[in-house]
Amino acid sequence: MGSSLRDKMWSPLIVFLVVGLATAENAWKPGYEYKYQIKGRTLAALHQVADKYVGVVSRATLTLQPQSSNAVLARISDAQFSPVQASLPGGWASRIPEKELNYKSLPLSSKPFQIKFKNGVVDELVVSKDLSNPEVNLIKSVVSQLQVDTHGENEIKWHRGSQAPKRPSESVFRAMEDTVTGKCEVMYDISPLPMYATQVNPELAPMPELRGDGILMDIAKTKNFSNCDKRVAYHYGITGLTDWEPADNEMGHFFSRSGVSRIVISGSLKEYTIQSSVTVNKVILSPALYNAQKGMVVSRMNVTLISRRSSSGSPPSVPNPQRVKDLVYDYNDPFPSERSSSSAKSPAKGNKSSESESQSSSSSENDSSDSQSNSQESGSSSSDSSESVERPGHKRQIPKRFRRSAPQQKNKNASSGSSSSSSENDSSDSVSNGEDSSSSESSSESQNSSNDSSSSNSSESNSSSSSSSSSSSSCSSGSSSSDSESSSSESNDSDSNCSDSSSSSSSSSSESGSVSSASSSSSSSSSSSEEHNPKPGMNKAPKIPLLPYFIGYEGNAIPTSKDIEPVSAVKKLCSQIASELQHPSTIPQKSTLSKFAIVVRLVRTMNAEQLQKAVSQIYAPIKSSGENPWTVLRDALAAAGTGPCLTTIKDLIKSRKIATEEAAEIFATLAASARTPTAEFLKALFALATSPEVTKQPLLNSTAILSFANLARKAQVNNVTAHNLYPVHAFGRLSPINPKAVAEEYIPYMAKHLRAAVKDGDSHKIQVYIRALGNLGHPKILSVFEPYLEGKEPMSTFQRTLMVTSLNKLAKVFPQVARRVLFNVYQNLGESHEVRCAAVLVLMRTAPPAFMLQRMAEFTNRDPSLQVTAVVKSAIQSAAALQGPHHHEFKMNAKAAANLLNPKPLGIHYSRQYLQSYMVKEMGLAYRRELSWIGSSDGLLPSSAFISTRYNVGGWKSQNMALAMMTSSFNDLVDAVSDQFEDSDSSNSGKHGSKSGKKSSGSGSGSHSPFTTEKIAEMLNIEPSDDEQVEGNLLVRYMGTSRFFTFDNTTIENLPALLKSAASALRSGHKFNYNKLYNQFALTLAFPTETGLPFVYSIKKPTYISLRGEVQAKSHPDMASGSRDSIRVPETINSTASLQFVYSTRMTAKISFVAPLTHTRYIAGVQKNIQVNVPIKATFDLDAENSEASVTLQPLYNNREAQIFHYSTIPYTAKHNILDLTPVSQGSNFKPIHVREPMQMETTVGKDSTGFAFRVKYATEQKYLDYQYLYEKAQRHDAMSLILYPWAERTIKYNNINVVFDPQRSNTKSVTFTASYDDNSDDSQSSHSWSDSDESDSASNESRAHSGKSNSGKSAGSSSSSMANPSTSKPVSEKRQQEFLRRASSGIKNASASVLDLAVEFNGNKNIAYVATAAYASSEVDETSRALFYFYKSPTSGNSKPYEVCAAAKGVYPNVPLMNIAKALRANPTSYASSEISFGEKCGSGAAQISISAKGEQSQERKEYIRRSPMAQKCMSLMQSGSYLQPACRNITARANFLDSYSVNIQYEKLPAAFKNFTYKAYSVARYLGYPYLDENTINVHNKEGKITVDIDFEPDLKAANVSLTAPSFEADFDLVRVGPCARPLAVQHPSWNAADRFLTYALHAQWTASCGLDRDSVSTFDNKTYPIHLGKCWHVMMTSQPEDDDSSSSSSNDDLTAEVTVLVRDASSHEKEVKVILGDDVFDLKPSGSSSSKKSSESGDADGVVYFNQKQRSVSYRKINNVTDSDGEMLAFWYALPSGAVIFEAPQHEIAIMYNGEAAWLEAGSTYRGDVLGLCGTYDSEPATDFTSPKSCILEQPKMFAASWAVPDQTCQGEAKEWQRRAASAPCFNQTFTPHDVITEEDANSGYSSRSSKSSRSSNSQSGKSSSSSSNSGCTQHRTKIIEQGSQTCFSMRPQPTCANNCRATGKVEKSVDFHCVANSSASRHFVEMVKKGANPDFSRKEVSKTIKISVPQGCTSN
């Protein structure tokens, strides 16, 4: 039954369709008059927050009188509107109460207009010229409801292969249809409407009787805004990272848009009547981009038939008619005052144009130029039959034209894609006489520039604005315009450069070699079929459509209103803002930042003349204090970003009104905020950046050229950004797709200056121009970089590294081009690791494919550089863990390679790249962070580090934070800076100096050894190091701009002069006043709604930063005095400062629409304020001699309240008069939205505890504000996203938090923070004068790096808390410090003790003090260590009492062997610790007491686990041959004594209940977190009161632990709790190493303090390379400092003690070694004791070695430390014996330590030596591959040759060492130098040279789309594999090389080094030769390089 009913319903419809479609004409019968009621409403609301709506409803009557079958005369009368701001509980469509309505007359003309149809579709309108542009658009919105394409006139054909039925029988089809919202795809769905449906909804068909014999039909239309031929929109701020097409159906998570129409017709399709037509247009979006709650603007237009009657008489004609070609919303001309006098005669303001029925498409270029010229000169009509050029009525254009182009001009290159020429060509039509006139359209941008000053309607070229809404590539199908060049020579090139692509086109990662197609993901919806306003010029304000300030006054810009004089308005606002900024506490309340946003918007509407006038009236030099309106206008000019602003700023810079740093900031901000960067704008900016006024200011020059390059990339090179960021749908593409200026002007300029800088050795300019070229991101920069990267031109390693990192922009814009180059750089093993690592860092930004990542991962197993291996490994591993859909493909590629990586762990001091991403899915928040660094060969700290964070907010992506620091060497930088300082010569008069003096060692006899470091260097002819100059840079993105600062040796050498100048200025006081207003980000989107009112969404974040005040400082000695070449380090500094720091920001998000005729904006929005205000006075005192510092802070204003912190969120609705230049929030119609009664809290904090009173007031509408709320918020985020988005909320609600300093209720006037440090280094009992001690104490320590302790067999004993109870609680008491030093050292032999004393004093009517003192003592020769802690709080109020905490802890850690695994396993490492804690009103018997005793030991299971481990078995095997210092033995020995079993007993008494409660809460948290592991017993527990025991037992592998807790009321077991690898070194104790040592050893993989081991017959280097050795009776250099080149050594090099160190070693016997340590002129010898053949026991105390100092034997004992001092009394060296017999020798000044047992030596060297030593221990540069570096600084292959090269050839040398040394001298030795490599192929170097992208550099005959060489003939250059036959081998070039084709010749030759792969002559080689001869290029790129050969290649080729 159902199917039969459907058949009955559909049958007549199909009949009507078949019959009607063949004969349909229009919907009305002539002779009748039809009246329709028009009802419209447009509302804005945060509808998911509350039912508060704001907007406008309208009503009118539409009268239609058919004139003919194709024409209808229409008139709109009785138009009325009523604003609405009310609650609508039923939603936006519900009935609005009458009391909320107040209808007023709408200023809409009732003049008749004509609607013309073509095959039933609205073809054009004829309207009166007297109508304004908004009136015409409102008419279009009404007529759009009558647009019914039932017969598929504009049908879009279905895709090939689809199964859609053929027309006309189908009832569902697609059409391209124009309405007021644009010409977009519409889906039609036609179905019969049953009559019963009209009973329910009679408004659908109010006059059903008109159907006659027909039926009612329901037509549904659904718009697809993602597919538009004409997209009407304005947008700004969608970054190139964001894959959005403006005004699409959807934009990420934040925006969606829909348009649905329902039309009911009656009758047949031949003769029908429109009964009703309703269109609903919704725009739904998140106000702040990420909110889960949405807002919307909804518009509904309803046209309903109310009557039909017969008409009599002829219809009236349209007065003063003008034809309008379509229904698409017309852009306005905002500045009618700029029109000529001829246009002033006509009141027409509309955007109308007329159609030419026929046009010539072959108009000559000269005619076009002449016509253009004439129109410019005359300013009036050039033809009687056409309208005036200046007349605004000629704004409306037909397809393929600019909307604002002059009517006399046409597009010569109009596309032929349309079926009718009338819809293709631009024409002018005189309606009065019906004749068409045509003229040519010029596309010259230089003409546009002149037009800007002569006529507002100047012709604009359409060619560069080509993009289709369904495409993601911006291309031109019209004539291309560039500068002053003719369009005809570019048009074909542009046409060939365009290609269609679908809306789901590839992202920017796919590109071709040419610029035109490289960045192809930008949409091409700004195609030539769209109509645009003229491109903005440099002197006139841009004609921006749709935005309130440009259409807000009856369709015109608001400055055209007599109520607004822009100069006066700007002046007034700037003065207000400047005044309010002087009182920061009022900034949020007075909406100061919103006023700044108003100034910026107003400035955008002003021309250059007005801006110059404003500047002349407001400008004033910046003062050190007080208000200054000029700074507000200055920042507004930079933020506005228009052409007139640039012109004004140029004049300011050239007149020196702004200069240096101020000018640099303004220039950077202007470039970053440019709204319409046309080619003319960029040329002007480039001219300014390269002008003498700029280039003569180094700081401004570098910022200017870099900022310009960034803008040029965004606007001209990167098509994605050029389309997404800038308003291409309003103006067309602002620059040509392939602008010649980039390749022919900008890059050559920078390349020229780079070459000059290289020639002059100017590091600053070299870095700036490298970075500037990189910022352009154009492929042609590769040809500039090529000679430097390939070694053809000299350049330092650092500069080449910078060059590679500067390719990051190219990697973003042209990823495939960059990927090839970067991969080639990475593959060059002859390149330095810095350059290769940089290549990897940038390469990962191109998201390499899986095969490339797999190749890189596999090569980590063979790569000779561990630095490169580490960066590749970390990059791939972190990429494989990326989250989010945007990284899915890259993630999967990385996962495919991850398992191929080298499994060897590497320390974090190696190069790294960490990629991290996270998404808060329910909020659309995400980020991607990159943290990377390039490891240094001469230090633990990296030479370069990079961090960047990319935000993703609702799909809108932006890089908001970036920081990069690069140096040639961080250690060299520190040394260079240190060289600029000199110690003061004043005597030691401080508290340290007052103590007992230093003991002289009596070592003045000096050395008589024949060995010194210098002599050994001469004997071995050690090559000195060639140090490159120190250079570096800092790149930082802040305050919306990027800044680049460089430095080199010259910069550092100027430090003394700079600091002396600063010190001199600070002596008398220096005032400063820094203020900056800027926009952190801005996003604007606007398009028309269905009612013809523009929708406008904007989000911006104006921000204010201020730091002002005065600083005065004095130092002793005076830093301003002394030598001009150095800075004296002051002993004391006394400074005072008055400072006020303010950070204030307001995020304003507005969802709105504009009613131009009533100059009203209806807004639903959210504003969020954050402000921090810190007004303080500070006094800082530093006493370096006495190690004491203090800071006193007090309020800047003692009697004035100060708002310290403010945070608020206010959702609201508002009606705002656009002509009212006040913030929306200050308007009378601003209504905050409240969803519930706010929870409020007000309290005062700090008064009792500090004396400072802070009022905290908090009001929130958050429903639940508790721990659960905070927990859920934390659960949504990871740590980084919580930091990045701390204020992000899923829901929108009112919040207000204020923290105010209240001086009236404060008792404290100031607070003083004091810190003091002391130690016992100068005491008579200090380590500098160690003497014999009580020998009954058998404990001793090993070296500081290996402080092992022997087991005393006793517990730690008690350490009473009374030891921490001082005699005074006075803040910073020297008496207390000395007491703590003495008590901490008590009973510890040769103790080294230190104390830190901290105090906070609140000074006022009653002083409040907080005191904390901590002391620690330990010894190298005592197993005991002790820590003391004391805390005191004075009474804070009348009823409060003092509070004290006293704690004393003692530890006993036994000695464990570190050189022998067997001894280590036999040792007993059991350790003990105890502590006593007392706290309460007074430490003593009445206070609460806690006693803790702990024991740590090693279980037998752990010992067995170690003993049976493969590493231990290997070590045991090695030890049998006398090798026990190889890496395996060292590692397993270190692990052998970790403690895995702990027992802790805690006893307590008199604990307060609050403390017990706190500890139970802490346990509750642990119980919650450890619930999966927990087994708890709370039943029948009767444990002893006052006692808690904790037992912790780790698994043998230490990866898990069992924890047992026994308390008086419960017992708990946590079983197998996982212990992470990072937590393990902190949780598991070792007797010899503290927690810091353990963690750093883990993090750096034993490289924290690198060691070199030499045992019986092997050496293990600093970088863990092991090789065999036989020394014999000949001294060998174990380690020596590499001498510096005399030319490069600094004046301070003599003070570098590490440059005077050499360690020699030789065999004393077959299994014994002698060690000689040379420290400058002093020599120490470590020799076997003579009893090393018999093993020593700990008890005997006999040492395995003896120490000689300058040939005199010194005693060695495990009971005390012996030492010698230098002539200054400083410790030169000390030594002692371990109970195991090993001798520890340390030279602290020289940063070396040796552990020696007669048979082996273990040498440790500080990080200072990294990369600066040579010898048997290697180079210490983290690269094992370089360890075999000989004295000649080249690398030997054979270990024996290498060892012999370091034999000292003196008279004592015996054995075969000399013979092997002679052989080593002639052995192959390879220098570690940069090996040039062909990293940039000819194809890559010329990838920007295609005929499409830089045509002028090639013959005009070259074919589009084909790559060409640098010659004029693109077909002459070919790439072929080069073949060279050498003897029995045939060599093939790894990559094809350029060669000239037949009939072509080379224009020149160049030599280049090329890698070849060679194979033996065979049938296979001959086969390859034949392949090459036939034109093939076999792939040898993956083969190994056999040799590098220099060959000649052509520079270019040309025809013979």
Side-chain angles (χ1 to χ4, degrees), residues 1580-1634:
N1580 297 324
V1581 177
H1582 304 289
N1583 295 322
K1584 184 178 179 181
E1585 188 66 32
K1587 183 176 181 181
I1588 298 174
T1589 61
V1590 181
D1591 293 310
I1592 305 174
D1593 294 303
F1594 285 85
E1595 292 294 297
D1597 60 3
L1598 307 181
K1599 293 181 179 180
N1602 300 311
V1603 181
S1604 297
L1605 176 64
T1606 302
S1609 58
F1610 67 90
E1611 295 174 348
D1613 293 318
F1614 295 87
D1615 297 327
L1616 294 177
V1617 179
R1618 306 294 187 271
V1619 182
C1622 293
R1624 214 168 293 150
L1626 301 175
V1628 181
Q1629 306 295 305
H1630 191 284
S1632 299
W1633 297 323
N1634 59 34

Side-chain angles (χ1 to χ4, degrees), residues 222-260:
T222 305
K223 293 183 180 179
N224 178 12
F225 294 106
S226 298
N227 182 19
C228 296
D229 278 354
K230 294 183 182 179
R231 186 183 298 272
V232 185
Y234 173 89
H235 74 277
Y236 173 81
I238 302 174
T239 65
L241 299 170
T242 307
D243 187 21
W244 289 351
E245 175 58 42
D248 255 9
N249 277 62
E250 58 85 25
M251 294 167 61
H253 297 280
F254 114 95
F255 173 97
S256 64
R257 179 188 184 193
S258 67
V260 178

Side-chain angles (χ1 to χ4, degrees), residues 1015-1036:
K1015 289 178 183 178
I1016 292 172
E1018 292 176 358
M1019 295 170 67
L1020 294 175
N1021 294 319
I1022 300 177
E1023 292 266 345
S1025 61
D1026 295 326
D1027 290 335
E1028 295 182 348
Q1029 72 162 329
V1030 175
E1031 48 188 339
N1033 58 67
L1034 177 65
L1035 174 66
V1036 57

Side-chain angles (χ1 to χ4, degrees), residues 1495-1513:
K1495 176 183 177 182
E1497 56 188 340
Q1498 190 177 61
S1499 67
Q1500 195 60 36
E1501 290 80 3
R1502 170 68 181 172
K1503 286 184 179 291
E1504 286 300 314
Y1505 175 82
I1506 292 293
R1507 184 176 289 110
R1508 294 178 180 178
S1509 66
M1511 191 179 294
Q1513 297 300 317

